[in-house]
Amino acid sequence: MSFSLHGIGVSKGIAIGKVHVIDHDVIEVSEFSLSKQTLEDEVNRFKEALEIARQQLSRIRDSVPKNAPGDVAAFIDTHLLMLEDSSLSQVPIRIIREKQCNAEWALKLQCDELVQVFDKMDDPYLSSRKQDVEQVVARVLRILRGYTELPTASMGELLSGAIVLSDDLSPADTVMMQHHGILAFATEFGGTTSHTAILARSLGIPAIVGLHKARTYLQQGDTVVVDGFNGVLFGSPDEFLLNYYRTRQREEKRYRAGLSKLKTAPVATADGTTITLHANIEFPEDMAAVKRVGSNGIGLYRTEFLFLHRREPPNEEEHFDAYLRVVNALKGGTITIRTLDLGADKQGSDFAKLESHHSDSHMNNPALSLRAIRLCLRNIPEFKAQLRAILRVSAFGNVRMLLPMISSVSELTQVISLIEQVRQELTREAILFDPKMQLGLMVEVPAMAVCTDIFLPYVDFLSIGTNDLIQYTLAIDRCDDSVNYLYDPLHPAVLRLIKMSIDASNKVLKPISMCGEMASDSRFVRLLLGLGLRSFSVNPEAYLEVKQIILNSNLVSLAKLANKVLKVGTQADINVLIQQINTQA
Ligand code: PEP
Ligand code: MG
């Protein structure tokens, strides 16, 4: 019989396919005493587990696609080397014999020991390597538990056409999977604007997060339907349900084909106001999707994805090469390159070597800690490499630089003086750059939104990052599905901050755009137009839908209605106004 599991639909679309389960859970281990006679059998069991782990990793290593980002293969090589290291291959055997205990317990004791050693290391890079140890140990423990199968197919074959079901996916996981033809993502945790959700949207893959305990009801290979519009996953779908969703899939395809006809139309409202509509990207490879929808500008290039799956941060040339690929692909359009925004949910398990925490204390609230510009200002050489690359690439196209998470003027002036240093260095080295390259700020911390007028004299443009602005204004973790119900772009506090920033920028005639996910949401486009927003940067999947709404909107009466939304408090009143705004001719 069919059953349904309900979560949060974070990327629209329908997928029908078989589940591929990915497990990251912590494995509980108990201690058993063994008799002397069985100790050598236990040692052999442990050795076999190591061998299977080695074979598994080698197969995964062989299947890493050539175009996978960064150093994915090197990341797996490290795990292979760790398996062979005597601390994991020999010491547990000694523990089994000495303590007369089971292999799982011996391995756990040794893992705890190693983790402690890593924890005490001053070098933040080495100390963060404990995650590798934990991941390798988890693999061996799973094998000792009986999960011994070797992947018979390559990772690509396993994932191609599959619906990936997991507890959660780090951005690094998602990146690694993006080239494999996955049909949909379904996770037990995560929020609407987590980076996995954003990536799923930019890949155009349906995704649902917050499907609690889904893995208890579903197994590897089960057929499911993912309804990313409504956040519902159906298990054991019967013929009736399958037919219904196949029809909806066909309708959706027709709708998309209709939208693609808008590709070349100029972006303007029905009453003639020109609107800037650009696209958000994460990788140079995303330019294919940008071209498909006909965008002639990039309003947000999130460069942090260059840093995932690597041991070392990218050097200046790697930055430069990636940016130049985007510049060359766009041929003349504006490209807004945002400097590194690592930290918080963009941590991944294996992000590049950057000082990510205070020397002796771990972050309790990563979203409020050393993230983005704060992390960059603690890692000046790596930051300068990025600044140099952005400035260098500005000689080849219409490039702008965007700074994330700025909350104080002193932070901003530090960055401005670093940029000035870099300009002087480049001039001395006779390296070309655009001396007029524009500098902009993300409005994503409420402190910035309230004081936009104070920051504006220092910069050329602003871009509103609603994903974080909402998180920080309403004090809700954007990745935590337990508070997702409070994540509300229509909260009057959020709307007022947006309005304040737009008004302050308009007053001094400096451009302001919105690149947060709110701009990509068809429900809010007219409201934002009514609040005075004239520039949007959206994920490529949403681009044509947003364009269609702009083409069908009349600005005349929108402002009045939008201003009313700023003043109402209850959800019901807000819904009535939004309904009016969105149905107006
Ligand atoms: C935002 O916060 O809205 C934004 C665009 O930045 P990110 O999602 O990368 O944090
Ligand atoms: Mg942000």
Side-chain angles (χ1 to χ4, degrees), residues 195 338 341 346 371 404-405 442 444 465 467-468 478:
H195 282 83
R338 187 176 71 184
D341 179 13
K346 280 175 275 194
R371 180 188 163 183
M405 281 284 290
M442 295 281 294
E444 53 184 353
N467 308 338
D468 281 310
R478 65 194 262 189

Side-chain angles (χ1 to χ4, degrees), residues 193-195 198 280 282 300 302 304-305 338 341 345-346 371 404-405 442-444 463-469 472 478 487 515-518:
T193 52
S194 64
H195 282 83
I198 292 172
N280 295 348
E282 272 85 38
L300 171 66
R302 290 184 167 96
E304 46 278 7
F305 290 90
R338 187 176 71 184
D341 179 13
D345 66 311
K346 280 175 275 194
R371 180 188 163 183
M405 281 284 290
M442 295 281 294
V443 180
E444 53 184 353
S463 188
I464 307 173
T466 47
N467 308 338
D468 281 310
L469 187 61
Y472 294 126
R478 65 194 262 189
Y487 196 92
C515 60
E517 288 296 300
M518 188 176 178

Side-chain angles (χ1 to χ4, degrees), residues 1-4 14-17 218 222-226 233-247 249:
M1 209 176 69
S2 305
F3 60 92
S4 61
I14 288 156
I16 303 172
L218 294 164
D222 283 355
T223 298
V224 296
V225 174
V226 171
L233 184 147
F234 295 94
S236 311
D238 55 27
E239 259 325 289
F240 178 77
L241 199 75
L242 284 171
N243 281 335
Y244 170 76
Y245 273 106
R246 282 185 195 122
T247 310
Q249 264 183 325

Side-chain angles (χ1 to χ4, degrees), residues 362-510:
H362 286 285
M363 293 177 279
N364 286 328
N365 292 302
L368 302 180
S369 187
L370 277 186
R371 180 188 163 183
I373 208 73
R374 304 168 182 183
L375 186 64
C376 289
L377 290 172
R378 290 280 283 254
N379 291 273
I380 300 284
E382 291 81 3
F383 189 34
K384 272 179 79 176
Q386 179 168 44
L387 296 179
R388 279 178 64 98
I390 298 175
L391 270 160
R392 279 175 54 197
V393 87
S394 72
F396 297 85
N398 188 2
V399 170
R400 314 193 295 177
M401 188 190 290
L402 178 61
L403 306 175
M405 281 284 290
I406 294 277
S407 59
S408 74
V409 170
S410 68
E411 234 173 2
L412 175 58
T413 50
Q414 274 183 72
V415 181
I416 289 175
S417 73
L418 267 179
I419 295 174
E420 190 43 42
Q421 257 182 46
V422 169
R423 282 174 202 257
Q424 286 173 13
E425 278 171 26
L426 292 174
T427 310
R428 269 199 305 278
E429 294 164 35
I431 296 176
L432 289 179
F433 64 92
D434 172 7
K436 295 207 176 79
M437 186 190 71
Q438 296 200 346
L439 180 67
L441 298 178
M442 295 281 294
V443 180
E444 53 184 353
V445 179
M448 161 74 72
V450 172
C451 305
T452 317
D453 58 318
I454 297 179
F455 289 87
L456 271 163
Y458 296 86
V459 293
D460 305 296
F461 69 97
L462 297 177
S463 188
I464 307 173
T466 47
N467 308 338
D468 281 310
L469 187 61
I470 298 169
Q471 147 164 281
Y472 294 126
T473 305
L474 304 181
I476 35 167
D477 184 338
R478 65 194 262 189
C479 297
D480 183 346
D481 62 296
S482 64
V483 286
N484 192 73
Y485 70 103
L486 292 169
Y487 196 92
D488 181 10
L490 296 178
H491 191 294
V494 173
L495 296 180
R496 287 182 193 188
L497 289 175
I498 292 173
K499 178 81 176 127
M500 281 167 79
S501 312
I502 295 174
D503 289 349
S505 307
N506 287 346
K507 198 167 164 195
V508 293
L509 301 178
K510 290 203 176 170

